[in-house]
Every structure is written in C-alpha cells, then in structure tokens.
C-alpha cells in the first residue's frame, strides 16, 4: 500500500491480504500507477433478501443468527443415526446414553469452529482447501467429499422409502424412486432464499421432536434409569464397545463441516472486532441450542427402543425383532407393542428426518463443488446428479435384497462416512489454528489442544471401526485361502495408503497466504487490494444457489 485514504469512519473493517490468490490483481493496479478502493461492504446496496445483523450491541442480534445450526443439526438425527440408536436401546437398554452426551458435546465444539472459519475469513472450508493444497490433493479431497455426500444421502433415501412403506404401503423400491421427486421440492425452495429454507428445516426438526415426545408417552421409560444411563459411563455386555464406537463415530459428519462454514456466510455482519466476536459467540449459542434438540431426539429414540425391547411382556416374535432391530422392523415392533398410531408417528418422524437430511445434503454438495473446483453447475443439474448417485445403488439393493438389503446398505454408508471424516476434520482444525488465516481469532493453545484431542479420538475410533469390520469381513468370508490372503494384502495396503494420506494432511505446513484481517485506526482507512473476490454477505449462500458466472479476461468461466 502506498498511502492512506481519508475516511470519516474509524470503524474497524476487513481487507484482503496480499496472498497468492490476489497478487495478480494487485500487480495490475500497481502497473497502472493507481490505487483502487474497493470496500468489501457497500451499506447502500443491501438486497431485499439479505440477512443483515444490526451494528449494535444487543441480545436481539441473536435472532439474526438463528438458522444455520438447525440445518446442521439434521445430520445428527438422520435415518442412519436413528438405526444406530434403535440398536443401542434394543441391546443395552439405556447403558449407552452417556455416549450420546459425550458425542454431542464434541460435535458442538467441532461445529462451532467450522462456523468460526466462515465468519472470520469470509470463505468456507472447501474454498480454503482449494487455496491451500496443490491440484492433485485438492482433487482427491473433492472426490472424497463428494463420496461422503452420496454416502450420507443413501440412508436418507432408504429412510424415506421405509417411511412411505409404513405410511402408505409403498414398496421399498418404489419409495426409493419416489424420493427422486424431492429434487423438484429443492428447485422450488431455491427461489425463496436461505431464510425460508431455515424455517422449513426448523419445522421438520420440531416435527421429529414432537413425534418422539409422543412415543416417549407411549413407551413410558423409567426416568431414574434413563438419567443413570446418561451420566454414568458403562460398557456392559459383548458388543457394547463396538456399538459405542458406531454411536460416537456417527455423530460428526464430514459434509456438515463444509455446510456449516458456508451457511454462516449468509449473514451481513459488522466486520469489526466486536462484530466478529459477537457472531462467533451467537453462532456457538445457536448451534448449542439446535444440537441440544437433536440430542434430546437421540435420547428419546434410545429410550423408546430400550423400554420396549427390555419389557417382560414381549412375545417371541418381538424378541426376535429386537435382537436385530432396524428401521423397518422398528415399525412392526412399535405397532405390535404400543399400537398402530405409535408406528404411524414413528413413520412421520422418519419421513421428516429423511426429507430434511436430503435438502441439507444436496446443498452441501453444491458448496463442495463450488469450493473445491470453482465449478458452477446449473442448480437443477447439481441436485439431479447428487440424487441419482444415491438412488441408483439404493434401488439396486432394494430390488435384489428388499428391506433387509436396504438396511445393510445404511451400515455400509455409515462406514464410508467414518472413512471420509479425517479428510474434512484435519483441514478444519489446521485452518482454524492458523494465525495466517484467522489472525487474532485463531484457536488458542487450550482450544487447539482440546479440538485436536477430540478430533484425534474421533478419527482413531473411526479407523478402529473400519479395521475391525474389514478383519471380520475377511475372516467370515467363504472365499478360498488364496483369495483371502490376496484380499488381506490389498486391504492392508489400502489402509497404509489411507494412514499416509492422513499423515500428509496433519504434518504438511500451511501456506503463509494472505487473509482477511480486522483492522482499525489508520490501517482501516487504507484501500482494499484489487482482485478481492470476497464480499459480505455471500450472495451464493444467501440464495442457496451457486454464484453467477464471473467472466475472466477471455470472457469464460
């Protein structure tokens, strides 16, 4: 910068540092001997659908921040989580409730730093990955992120198909096809912006909560036993450790980290030190409230399952269902034990869960593609692509294996999500601990230590889960010895490659690139460097669509 520009405001603001991504623009400006002031926020051009946070110190600002946390919380109450919860209650009654408490606290910390990354830097996680990593690692991370989104979408498709079967006797394969129509719903929602979507998701979350509150009234679990299971850690019985690992690993979804860091960009917040701190604080509170609702729903599912399957009045057929409980069997069990309406209420909750998870998963896919590749597809094409990738394997399994095969596909999808988690979690932890990217808002030594311990534990648990299941698959297969040995060599070679990739992400040194800084005084009066692509709020996030085309020198994307 060659000089200061007078400004009548001393309000701290953000500017773009001289990173590699903006060096060309700055050089062009200097070549012409000019300085161009490009304010990041133009207060005179606020769009009608923008969510503007007033530049004042007031608790009422909290309501402007409400919304993203509820979209994120859907991943914690999706059909895949419901199935794990049902199995937990059926096999160990309330003994694993404390796992849900621990996992929810860990999830709150992880989600809060994902939100902070977007608030402080003005870019979401996928965009940071594109700026940070070379082309090949960036492409691999994108592929893995897309796979995780498809894996997350599979339980949602199957869960919705199960719900339609319970409510209207629709065959599972037909229900899978019917879920493709939700793409039309997404297209209708896009024109109304993010705020309307947040209200819809909040309504669906409330519907799920009300349904399971009614189920609790039917099941009547003993409060003292529920509280004991919630606050007294215990792992009793064969398989309790494995199921506890499944519960803990399923609580942090990789696509959620990309989604949360993007959704917070829908707000036009004051770009001052106080404004950034207030945004981070209120997003933490809002996420805590949304995840508390999700926590209570998970507790309710386990409690209902535990109360029913451990009842002394079960007949032989219902006891058999409890021994291998899944989403489809749960409907018959509830109908036999608690009555027809209990089964219908569970189906409504499952339908709301599947549809809401579908919406958030599809939009996470949009931001992942835009962030990693800077590729902007027409929204309906992106929605259709994501949905087809989830529907095709679900349809094949439903046609061949029926409801049993579809239920097993949910377990496979959960394993894939466990496999993918480190490739989103490690970059997030490194970026939010980097002063080069976060400035004074970087994680403190204490917070960094806590988040790395939590992240390392979650990743270690997921890796253990993958290895154990792979070993079981090899040992219990009916293949000849030669093929078993060959499969074991390939599998463990792949595991070594997997661990090497995790090591690369963990120990690779971050680039010392430019970043958005909070400025004050004379620094705040200096012009922003030309070439900045960030503005607040992000229009692509506000409208829940990909950004419009930005022509380059050749007139192309």
């Amino acid at each position: 910068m060659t000089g200061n520009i007078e400004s009548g405001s001393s309000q701290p603001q953000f500017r773009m540092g001289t990173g590699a991504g903006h060096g060309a623009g700055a050089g062009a400006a200097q070549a012409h001997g000019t300085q161009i002031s490009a304010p990041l926020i133009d207060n005179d051009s606020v769009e009608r659908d923008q969510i503007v946070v007033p530049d004042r110190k007031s608790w009422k600002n909290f309501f402007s921040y409400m919304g993203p946390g509820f979209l994120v919380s859907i991943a914690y109450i999706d059909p895949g989580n419901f199935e794990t919860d049902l199995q937990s209650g059926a096999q160990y009654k309330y003994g694993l409730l404390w796992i849900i408490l621990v996992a929810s606290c860990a999830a709150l910390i992880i989600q809060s730093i994902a939100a902070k990354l977007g608030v402080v830097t003005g870019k979401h996680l996928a965009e940071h990955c594109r700026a940070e990593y070379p082309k090949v690692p960036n492409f691999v991370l994108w592929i893995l992120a897309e796979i995780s989104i498809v894996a997350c979408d599979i339980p949602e498709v199957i869960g919705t198909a199960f719900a339609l079967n319970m409510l209207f006797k629709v065959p599972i394969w037909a229900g899978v096809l019917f879920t493709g129509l939700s793409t039309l719903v997404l297209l209708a929602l896009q024109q109304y912006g993010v705020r309307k979507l947040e209200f819809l998701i909040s309504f669906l979350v409330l519907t799920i909560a009300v349904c399971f509150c009614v189920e609790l009234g039917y099941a009547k679990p003993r409060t003292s036993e529920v509280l004991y299971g919630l606050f007294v850690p215990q792992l009793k019985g064969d398989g309790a450790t494995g199921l506890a690992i499944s519960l803990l690993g399923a609580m942090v979804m990789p696509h959620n980290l990309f989604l949360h860091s993007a959704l917070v960009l829908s707000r036009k917040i004051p770009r001052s030190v106080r404004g950034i701190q207030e945004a981070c604080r209120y997003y933490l509170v809002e996420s805590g409230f949304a995840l508390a609702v999700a926590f209570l729903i998970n507790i309710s599912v386990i409690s209902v399952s535990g109360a029913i399957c451990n009842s002394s009045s079960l007949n032989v057929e219902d006891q058999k269902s409890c021994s291998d409980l899944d989403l489809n069997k749960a409907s018959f069990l509830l109908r036999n034990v608690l009555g027809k309406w209990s089964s219908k209420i569970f189906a409504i909750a499952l339908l709301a869960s599947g549809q809401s998870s579908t919406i958030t998963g599809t939009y996470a896919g949009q931001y992942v593609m835009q962030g990693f590749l800077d590729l902007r597809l027409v929204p309906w094409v992106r929605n259709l692509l994501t949905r087809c990738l989830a529907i095709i394997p679900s349809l094949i399994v439903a046609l061949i294996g029926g409801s049993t095969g579809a239920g097993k596909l949910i377990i496979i999808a959960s394993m894939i999500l466990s496999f993918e988690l480190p490739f989103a979690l490690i970059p997030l932890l490194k970026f939010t601990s980097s002063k080069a990217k976060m400035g004074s808002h970087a994680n403190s030594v204490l917070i960094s230590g806590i988040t790395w311990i939590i992240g390392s534990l979650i990743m270690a648990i997921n890796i253990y889960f993958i290895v154990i299941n792979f070993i079981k698959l090899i040992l219990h297969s009916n293949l000849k010895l030669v093929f078993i040995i060959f499969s074991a060599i390939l599998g463990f070679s792949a595991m070594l490659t997997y661990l090497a990739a995790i090591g690369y992400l963990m120990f690779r040194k971050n680039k010392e690139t430019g970043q958005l800084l909070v400025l004050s005084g004379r620094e705040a009066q200096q012009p922003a460097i030309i070439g900045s692509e960030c503005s607040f709020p992000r229009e692509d996030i506000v409208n829940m669509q990909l950004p419009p085309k930005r022509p380059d020198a050749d007139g192309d994307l």
Side-chain angles (χ1 to χ4, degrees), residues 37 41 50 73 115 118 137 204 260 339 353 433 505 531 533:
S37 178
I41 300 179
Q50 290 180 0
S73 70
L204 292 174
H260 205 177
S353 171
S433 300
L505 292 178
E533 295 182 359

Side-chain angles (χ1 to χ4, degrees), residues 447-520:
I447 296 299
S448 293
I450 293 173
T451 52
W452 273 105
I453 289 172
I454 292 173
S456 299
L457 284 174
I458 293 174
M459 288 186 290
I461 285 170
N462 283 332
I463 291 171
Y464 171 82
F465 180 72
I466 294 169
V467 171
I468 291 300
N469 279 276
F470 176 74
I471 293 173
K472 287 181 179 178
L473 181 65
I474 293 294
L475 293 178
H476 293 88
S477 64
N478 295 321
L479 299 174
K480 294 182 179 180
L481 182 60
V482 174
F483 291 106
I484 291 176
I485 294 174
F486 182 71
S487 300
I489 293 173
L490 284 180
F492 283 106
S493 299
M495 182 57 62
L496 289 176
T497 305
Y498 176 67
L499 294 175
I502 292 175
Y504 169 80
L505 292 178
M506 290 186 68
F507 299 110
R508 179 186 181 276
K509 188 177 180 181
N510 282 342
K511 290 180 180 178
E512 295 297 326
T513 56
Q515 73 284 344
L516 289 172
L517 302 173
V518 178
L519 304 177
S520 59

Side-chain angles (χ1 to χ4, degrees), residues 378-457:
V378 178
W380 72 266
V381 174
R382 170 71 225 191
N383 295 344
L384 186 62
L385 178 63
T386 303
R387 183 42 33 96
C388 286
L389 289 175
I391 284 179
I392 291 172
S394 302
L395 181 61
I396 293 172
V397 171
L399 286 171
I400 297 174
S403 60
T404 302
K408 289 181 179 179
L409 188 59
I410 292 179
I411 298 174
I412 295 173
S414 299
M415 292 178 64
I416 294 174
L417 289 171
S418 298
F419 174 86
E420 303 285 350
L421 181 60
F423 301 100
L425 185 56
I426 292 174
L428 174 66
L429 296 179
K430 292 193 70 173
F431 295 160
T432 53
S433 300
S434 170
K435 290 189 179 296
K437 297 185 185 298
M438 303 288 288
S440 61
H441 298 279
N443 296 336
S444 65
V445 175
L446 177 62
I447 296 299
S448 293
I450 293 173
T451 52
W452 273 105
I453 289 172
I454 292 173
S456 299
L457 284 174

